Amino acid sequence: MAGYAAVKLGYTHLGFLGGMAVPAVIRYGYGFVQGVDTAAAELGIEATVEYVYGNQFYGDSDITAYMDNWYQTLGVEVVFACGGGIYTSAAEAAAKVDDAKVIGVDVDQAATIDGAYGEGITVTSAMKGLAATVNTMLEEVVTGNFASYGGQVDNLGLVSGDDPESNYVQIPLESTQWNDDFSQDDYIELVSKMYSGEITVSNDTDAMPEVSATTVNEYGNIK
């Protein structure tokens, strides 16, 4: 969703900065690439994704310098920073360049990132639906259905095609930088297509997804 939104909002040179290459982070990264490619193909354009892992879950001067090169030399426009506190390096680097952006992760990070590094830096965030999950589980416990969930691991995703905020994966309605090219209504249409299966997203973490309208430059680990 975040990758798709970013391209629809006008960004064509993007970056993915992961923490450590563990399945959860890889899944975010590969999903991001799939979203970028789907949107680029729909628009009939070519996109580029620079792809790297910091090999740690916090930012530091070395990773910030790497991000400086992306923004200042390679011309990356927006970086999806995915891995705990590693976002600080992407945000520090973005703050040095006019119109450079970041994408947050897990929760709506706009207030946190913009508050520390500059208003308007955060384009959107790839969110886990934590509130939706907690509310659903509490309701299930209250109604006596804990036995259906206790001691199990579930992968949660889309449960609605027309109510994005009830889903367990989403981007924020309030802080995403919508424009005439990609509005809230366009986002809801995307969710509907994903829910119906018209647009599919692989959760495979074995290999970088195949792309048709995107060049992916993989760099391994920074450290």
Side-chain angles (χ1 to χ4, degrees):
M1 294 173 181
Y4 184 97
V7 172
K8 290 286 187 170
L9 290 169
Y11 302 99
T12 58
H13 196 170
L14 309 96
F16 175 79
L17 170 63
M20 300 184 76
V22 296
V25 176
I26 296 171
R27 193 169 288 115
Y28 263 124
Y30 288 1
F32 181 70
V33 168
Q34 290 175 75
V36 167
D37 191 58
T38 299
E42 288 182 3
L43 293 172
I45 62 174
E46 291 289 328
T48 300
V49 176
E50 314 293 347
Y51 196 103
V52 76
Y53 298 101
N55 205 29
Q56 61 190 41
F57 288 116
Y58 56 92
D60 64 15
S61 59
D62 293 332
I63 296 175
T64 299
Y66 200 97
M67 293 294 101
D68 284 337
N69 181 58
W70 273 13
Y71 284 116
Q72 297 180 31
T73 304
L74 297 185
V76 171
E77 301 163 302
V78 58
V79 172
F80 176 26
C82 174
I86 205 166
Y87 77 88
T88 60
S89 281
E92 286 173 8
K96 302 171 187 174
V97 179
D98 290 343
D99 297 324
K101 305 291 185 180
V102 297
I103 293 171
V105 73
D106 291 340
V107 297
D108 183 356
Q109 287 194 301
T112 299
I113 295 174
D114 289 11
Y117 299 98
E119 189 66 30
I121 285 182
T122 311
V123 173
T124 190
S125 297
M127 296 165 55
K128 300 171 183 173
L130 300 179
T133 305
V134 171
N135 289 335
T136 298
M137 290 302 102
L138 288 176
E139 289 172 0
E140 290 296 298
V141 169
V142 168
T143 55
N145 293 328
F146 178 77
S148 299
Y149 301 93
Q152 300 183 42
V153 176
D154 289 331
N155 292 319
L156 305 177
L158 300 181
V159 294
S160 173
D162 53 19
D163 179 15
E165 292 185 298
S166 69
N167 289 320
Y168 301 115
V169 288
Q170 53 186 271
I171 60 175
L173 291 177
E174 294 301 319
S175 66
T176 296
Q177 295 178 3
W178 314 107
N179 62 23
D180 291 340
D181 295 318
F182 191 68
S183 66
Q184 286 191 10
D185 287 341
D186 294 323
Y187 166 55
I188 293 171
E189 182 180 358
L190 168 65
V191 173
S192 177
K193 288 180 177 179
M194 293 173 66
Y195 184 72
S196 70
E198 182 176 344
I199 292 177
T200 59
V201 183
S202 171
N203 68 355
D204 180 33
T205 59
D206 291 334
M208 180 66 66
E210 293 185 5
V211 292
S212 63
T214 304
T215 298
V216 182
N217 299 316
E218 296 183 73
Y219 301 102
N221 292 316
I222 296 174
K223 306 179 77 170

